[in-house]
Short mmCIF file of all heavy atoms in Angstrom, two decimals:
data_model
loop_
_atom_site.label_atom_id
_atom_site.label_comp_id
_atom_site.label_asym_id
_atom_site.label_seq_id
_atom_site.Cartn_x
_atom_site.Cartn_y
_atom_site.Cartn_z
N GLU A 38 71.99 109.07 104.63
CA GLU A 38 72.28 109.69 105.93
C GLU A 38 73.65 110.36 105.92
O GLU A 38 73.83 111.47 106.41
CB GLU A 38 72.18 108.66 107.06
CG GLU A 38 70.80 108.02 107.19
CD GLU A 38 69.65 109.02 107.28
OE1 GLU A 38 69.83 110.07 107.91
OE2 GLU A 38 68.57 108.74 106.70
N LEU A 41 73.47 113.54 103.86
CA LEU A 41 72.75 114.63 104.55
C LEU A 41 73.60 115.23 105.67
O LEU A 41 73.59 116.44 105.88
CB LEU A 41 71.43 114.11 105.12
CG LEU A 41 70.25 114.23 104.16
CD1 LEU A 41 69.07 113.41 104.64
CD2 LEU A 41 69.81 115.69 103.97
N TYR A 45 74.46 119.19 105.84
CA TYR A 45 74.24 120.06 107.01
C TYR A 45 75.54 120.68 107.49
O TYR A 45 75.58 121.85 107.88
CB TYR A 45 73.54 119.28 108.14
CG TYR A 45 72.03 119.43 108.06
CD1 TYR A 45 71.28 118.56 107.30
CD2 TYR A 45 71.39 120.48 108.70
CE1 TYR A 45 69.91 118.71 107.19
CE2 TYR A 45 70.01 120.65 108.60
CZ TYR A 45 69.27 119.75 107.85
OH TYR A 45 67.92 119.93 107.74
N GLU A 70 65.42 111.04 98.43
CA GLU A 70 65.29 111.11 99.89
C GLU A 70 66.02 112.32 100.46
O GLU A 70 65.63 112.87 101.49
CB GLU A 70 65.85 109.84 100.52
CG GLU A 70 65.11 108.60 100.05
CD GLU A 70 65.55 107.36 100.79
OE1 GLU A 70 65.51 107.36 102.02
OE2 GLU A 70 65.96 106.39 100.12
N ILE A 71 67.10 112.73 99.81
CA ILE A 71 67.93 113.82 100.32
C ILE A 71 67.27 115.18 100.12
O ILE A 71 67.23 116.02 101.03
CB ILE A 71 69.32 113.78 99.63
CG1 ILE A 71 70.10 112.55 100.12
CG2 ILE A 71 70.10 115.07 99.88
CD1 ILE A 71 71.31 112.22 99.25
N VAL A 72 66.75 115.40 98.91
CA VAL A 72 66.23 116.74 98.58
C VAL A 72 65.19 117.24 99.59
O VAL A 72 65.30 118.38 100.07
CB VAL A 72 65.69 116.77 97.13
CG1 VAL A 72 64.96 118.07 96.84
CG2 VAL A 72 66.84 116.59 96.14
N PRO A 73 64.18 116.41 99.96
CA PRO A 73 63.18 116.98 100.89
C PRO A 73 63.72 117.22 102.29
O PRO A 73 63.08 117.91 103.07
CB PRO A 73 62.07 115.92 100.92
CG PRO A 73 62.60 114.71 100.26
CD PRO A 73 63.82 115.07 99.48
N ARG A 74 64.90 116.69 102.61
CA ARG A 74 65.43 116.87 103.97
C ARG A 74 66.64 117.81 104.00
O ARG A 74 67.22 118.03 105.07
CB ARG A 74 65.84 115.51 104.54
CG ARG A 74 64.64 114.63 104.84
CD ARG A 74 65.03 113.20 105.16
NE ARG A 74 66.02 113.09 106.21
CZ ARG A 74 66.67 111.95 106.50
NH1 ARG A 74 66.43 110.86 105.82
NH2 ARG A 74 67.54 111.94 107.48
N SER A 75 66.99 118.37 102.86
CA SER A 75 68.17 119.23 102.84
C SER A 75 67.83 120.67 103.24
O SER A 75 66.80 121.19 102.83
CB SER A 75 68.78 119.25 101.43
OG SER A 75 69.75 120.26 101.35
N PRO A 76 68.70 121.32 104.02
CA PRO A 76 68.44 122.71 104.40
C PRO A 76 68.77 123.70 103.29
O PRO A 76 68.45 124.88 103.41
CB PRO A 76 69.39 122.93 105.58
CG PRO A 76 70.54 122.01 105.31
CD PRO A 76 69.96 120.80 104.60
N ALA A 266 67.43 126.38 109.19
CA ALA A 266 66.25 125.58 109.52
C ALA A 266 66.09 124.52 108.46
O ALA A 266 66.42 124.75 107.29
CB ALA A 266 65.01 126.47 109.55
N CYS A 267 65.61 123.37 108.87
CA CYS A 267 65.36 122.34 107.86
C CYS A 267 64.18 122.82 107.01
O CYS A 267 63.39 123.66 107.45
CB CYS A 267 65.09 120.99 108.51
SG CYS A 267 63.43 120.80 109.14
N PRO A 268 64.06 122.32 105.79
CA PRO A 268 62.98 122.81 104.92
C PRO A 268 61.63 122.23 105.32
O PRO A 268 60.61 122.60 104.74
CB PRO A 268 63.38 122.30 103.54
CG PRO A 268 64.18 121.07 103.83
CD PRO A 268 64.88 121.31 105.13
N SER A 269 61.64 121.30 106.31
CA SER A 269 60.44 120.58 106.71
C SER A 269 60.18 119.49 105.68
O SER A 269 60.55 119.63 104.51
CB SER A 269 59.24 121.52 106.81
OG SER A 269 58.14 120.83 107.32
N CYS A 270 59.58 118.42 106.11
CA CYS A 270 59.21 117.35 105.19
C CYS A 270 58.11 116.56 105.85
O CYS A 270 57.57 116.98 106.88
CB CYS A 270 60.43 116.48 104.84
SG CYS A 270 60.94 115.38 106.17
N GLY A 271 57.80 115.40 105.29
CA GLY A 271 56.70 114.62 105.82
C GLY A 271 56.88 114.23 107.27
O GLY A 271 55.93 113.82 107.93
N ARG A 272 58.08 114.35 107.78
CA ARG A 272 58.36 113.93 109.14
C ARG A 272 58.16 115.05 110.16
O ARG A 272 58.19 114.80 111.37
CB ARG A 272 59.82 113.43 109.14
CG ARG A 272 60.34 113.02 110.38
CD ARG A 272 60.62 111.58 110.71
NE ARG A 272 61.10 110.58 109.84
CZ ARG A 272 60.54 109.38 109.80
NH1 ARG A 272 59.46 109.11 110.50
NH2 ARG A 272 61.03 108.46 109.03
N ALA A 273 57.96 116.27 109.69
CA ALA A 273 57.96 117.43 110.61
C ALA A 273 56.87 117.34 111.67
O ALA A 273 55.74 116.97 111.38
CB ALA A 273 57.81 118.71 109.81
N GLU A 274 57.22 117.70 112.86
CA GLU A 274 56.31 117.66 114.01
C GLU A 274 55.78 119.04 114.37
O GLU A 274 54.99 119.19 115.29
CB GLU A 274 57.08 117.11 115.22
CG GLU A 274 57.20 115.62 115.23
CD GLU A 274 55.90 114.96 115.66
OE1 GLU A 274 55.55 115.04 116.83
OE2 GLU A 274 55.23 114.39 114.78
N ILE A 275 56.35 120.06 113.74
CA ILE A 275 55.92 121.43 114.02
C ILE A 275 55.81 122.17 112.69
O ILE A 275 56.28 121.68 111.67
CB ILE A 275 56.95 122.20 114.89
CG1 ILE A 275 58.36 121.99 114.34
CG2 ILE A 275 56.82 121.85 116.35
CD1 ILE A 275 59.39 122.92 114.88
N VAL A 277 57.61 124.33 110.84
CA VAL A 277 59.00 124.79 110.92
C VAL A 277 59.11 126.25 110.51
O VAL A 277 59.87 127.03 111.12
CB VAL A 277 59.92 123.90 110.04
CG1 VAL A 277 61.36 124.38 110.11
CG2 VAL A 277 59.83 122.45 110.46
N VAL A 299 66.75 125.30 113.63
CA VAL A 299 65.38 124.91 113.97
C VAL A 299 65.04 123.71 113.09
O VAL A 299 65.04 123.81 111.87
CB VAL A 299 64.39 126.07 113.71
CG1 VAL A 299 62.96 125.59 113.90
CG2 VAL A 299 64.69 127.24 114.62
N MET A 300 64.79 122.57 113.72
CA MET A 300 64.60 121.33 112.98
C MET A 300 63.21 120.75 113.26
O MET A 300 62.76 120.74 114.41
CB MET A 300 65.68 120.32 113.38
CG MET A 300 67.11 120.86 113.26
SD MET A 300 67.56 121.33 111.57
CE MET A 300 67.81 119.75 110.81
N GLY A 301 62.61 120.23 112.18
CA GLY A 301 61.22 119.80 112.30
C GLY A 301 60.98 118.54 113.08
O GLY A 301 59.86 118.30 113.54
N CYS A 302 62.01 117.71 113.26
CA CYS A 302 61.76 116.45 113.98
C CYS A 302 63.00 116.00 114.73
O CYS A 302 64.13 116.28 114.33
CB CYS A 302 61.29 115.36 113.03
SG CYS A 302 62.62 114.65 112.07
N VAL A 303 62.74 115.28 115.81
CA VAL A 303 63.84 114.77 116.63
C VAL A 303 64.40 113.48 116.06
O VAL A 303 65.44 113.00 116.48
CB VAL A 303 63.37 114.60 118.10
CG1 VAL A 303 62.43 113.40 118.24
CG2 VAL A 303 64.54 114.50 119.06
N VAL A 304 63.71 112.92 115.04
CA VAL A 304 64.22 111.68 114.44
C VAL A 304 65.56 111.98 113.75
O VAL A 304 66.55 111.28 113.96
CB VAL A 304 63.20 111.10 113.43
CG1 VAL A 304 63.77 109.86 112.75
CG2 VAL A 304 61.89 110.77 114.12
N ASN A 305 65.58 113.03 112.96
CA ASN A 305 66.79 113.34 112.19
C ASN A 305 67.43 114.68 112.53
O ASN A 305 68.59 114.91 112.19
CB ASN A 305 66.47 113.34 110.69
CG ASN A 305 66.03 111.97 110.21
OD1 ASN A 305 66.74 110.99 110.40
ND2 ASN A 305 64.86 111.91 109.63
N GLY A 306 66.68 115.56 113.16
CA GLY A 306 67.15 116.93 113.35
C GLY A 306 68.50 117.06 114.05
O GLY A 306 69.42 117.68 113.51
N PRO A 307 68.66 116.50 115.27
CA PRO A 307 69.94 116.71 115.98
C PRO A 307 71.14 116.19 115.19
O PRO A 307 72.21 116.79 115.23
CB PRO A 307 69.74 115.95 117.29
CG PRO A 307 68.26 115.92 117.49
CD PRO A 307 67.68 115.79 116.11
N GLY A 308 70.96 115.08 114.46
CA GLY A 308 72.07 114.54 113.68
C GLY A 308 72.36 115.39 112.46
O GLY A 308 73.51 115.73 112.18
N GLU A 309 71.30 115.81 111.76
CA GLU A 309 71.50 116.58 110.54
C GLU A 309 72.15 117.93 110.86
O GLU A 309 72.97 118.42 110.10
CB GLU A 309 70.15 116.82 109.84
CG GLU A 309 69.62 115.56 109.15
CD GLU A 309 68.24 115.74 108.51
OE1 GLU A 309 67.66 116.84 108.63
OE2 GLU A 309 67.74 114.78 107.93
N ALA A 310 71.78 118.50 111.99
CA ALA A 310 72.30 119.84 112.33
C ALA A 310 73.34 119.77 113.44
O ALA A 310 73.48 120.70 114.22
CB ALA A 310 71.15 120.75 112.73
N ILE A 317 67.16 123.21 118.03
CA ILE A 317 66.00 122.61 118.68
C ILE A 317 65.28 121.76 117.64
O ILE A 317 65.20 122.12 116.47
CB ILE A 317 65.08 123.68 119.30
CG1 ILE A 317 64.16 123.04 120.33
CG2 ILE A 317 64.30 124.46 118.26
CD1 ILE A 317 63.71 123.99 121.42
N ALA A 318 64.80 120.60 118.10
CA ALA A 318 64.07 119.69 117.20
C ALA A 318 62.79 119.27 117.89
O ALA A 318 62.77 119.01 119.10
CB ALA A 318 64.95 118.48 116.90
N ALA A 319 61.72 119.18 117.09
CA ALA A 319 60.42 118.89 117.69
C ALA A 319 60.14 117.40 117.74
O ALA A 319 60.59 116.63 116.89
CB ALA A 319 59.33 119.57 116.87
N GLN A 384 54.91 106.96 112.55
CA GLN A 384 54.97 107.49 111.16
C GLN A 384 55.54 106.50 110.16
O GLN A 384 55.37 106.67 108.96
CB GLN A 384 55.88 108.73 111.12
CG GLN A 384 55.39 109.91 111.92
CD GLN A 384 56.40 111.05 111.86
OE1 GLN A 384 57.60 110.81 111.78
NE2 GLN A 384 55.92 112.27 111.91
N VAL A 388 58.27 108.62 105.30
CA VAL A 388 57.22 109.64 105.33
C VAL A 388 57.26 110.56 104.12
O VAL A 388 56.32 111.29 103.86
CB VAL A 388 57.30 110.50 106.61
CG1 VAL A 388 56.86 109.73 107.81
CG2 VAL A 388 58.70 111.04 106.79
N ASN A 389 58.37 110.58 103.41
CA ASN A 389 58.49 111.50 102.26
C ASN A 389 58.11 110.84 100.94
O ASN A 389 58.33 111.41 99.87
CB ASN A 389 59.92 112.04 102.17
CG ASN A 389 60.24 112.91 103.34
OD1 ASN A 389 59.43 113.73 103.74
ND2 ASN A 389 61.42 112.75 103.92
S1 SF4 B 1 61.36 117.29 109.50
FE1 SF4 B 1 63.06 116.01 110.26
S2 SF4 B 1 63.66 114.68 108.50
FE2 SF4 B 1 62.34 116.31 107.70
S3 SF4 B 1 63.79 117.84 106.95
FE3 SF4 B 1 63.21 118.44 109.09
S4 SF4 B 1 64.73 117.48 110.43
FE4 SF4 B 1 64.95 116.51 108.39
#
Side-chain angles (χ1 to χ4, degrees):
E38 300 308 323
L41 270 166
Y45 267 88
E70 300 187 54
I71 291 165
V72 171
R74 290 169 54 192
S75 169
C267 80
S269 186
C270 74
R272 177 109 36 227
E274 280 284 288
I275 47 166
V277 180
V299 173
M300 307 299 285
C302 77
V303 73
V304 177
N305 296 306
E309 286 177 358
I317 198 153
Q384 296 177 328
V388 288
N389 294 317

